[in-house]
């Protein structure tokens, strides 16, 4: 899941009316916000998650989904997605 940067505002026209209204100023580059780092995986974080997954294992519904996907037919894949949707609210 990546965050996309949204396009900046267009240059101001210097007029008081219109879509690009406003005083003309020079735009300065802002430093990235710390909140944009949220959700990014670090090496340490990935290692911790890997160790926990190795020790704890999968939840029963996750094991069932993996089993359905391993069968390989389209209907079982669809059924595994339905199972995920039921359990998680989305897939």
């Amino acid at each position: 899941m990546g965050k996309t940067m949204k396009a900046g505002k267009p240059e101001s026209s210097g007029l008081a009316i219109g879509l690009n209204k406003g005083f003309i100023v020079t735009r300065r580059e802002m430093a990235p916000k710390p909140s944009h780092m949220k959700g990014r995986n670090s090496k340490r974080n990935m290692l911790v998650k890997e160790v926990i997954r190795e020790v704890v294992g999968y939840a029963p519904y996750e094991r069932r989904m993996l089993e359905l996907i391993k069968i390989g037919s389209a209907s079982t894949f669809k059924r595994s997605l339905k199972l995920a949707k039921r359990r998680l609210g989305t897939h």
Side-chain angles (χ1 to χ4, degrees):
M1 295 185 195
K3 292 185 178 182
T4 56
M5 299 299 292
K6 79 175 184 182
K9 293 168 74 175
E11 292 295 320
S12 298
S13 64
L15 300 174
I17 57 169
L19 289 175
N20 306 329
K21 66 182 179 181
F23 190 76
I24 297 175
V25 293
T26 55
R27 299 225 174 255
R28 57 194 182 105
E29 194 63 35
M30 302 296 284
K33 291 181 174 184
S35 62
H36 291 289
M37 291 289 289
K38 184 178 169 93
R40 191 170 291 178
N41 282 334
S42 64
K43 289 180 183 175
R44 181 178 183 274
N45 210 356
M46 285 170 49
L47 178 68
V48 169
K49 285 181 178 182
E50 185 180 326
V51 169
I52 289 173
R53 177 64 81 181
E54 193 175 306
V55 172
V56 176
Y58 290 102
Y61 77 92
E62 290 174 327
R63 283 196 297 267
R64 183 165 172 225
M65 282 174 48
L66 289 172
E67 190 178 313
L68 287 171
I69 290 171
K70 282 179 189 172
I71 293 172
S73 69
S75 63
T76 57
F77 184 72
K78 187 174 180 181
R79 202 168 346 132
S80 69
L81 288 178
K82 281 186 173 184
L83 176 68
K85 198 169 183 181
R86 251 195 337 264
R87 299 287 175 169
L88 304 172
T90 183
H91 63 277

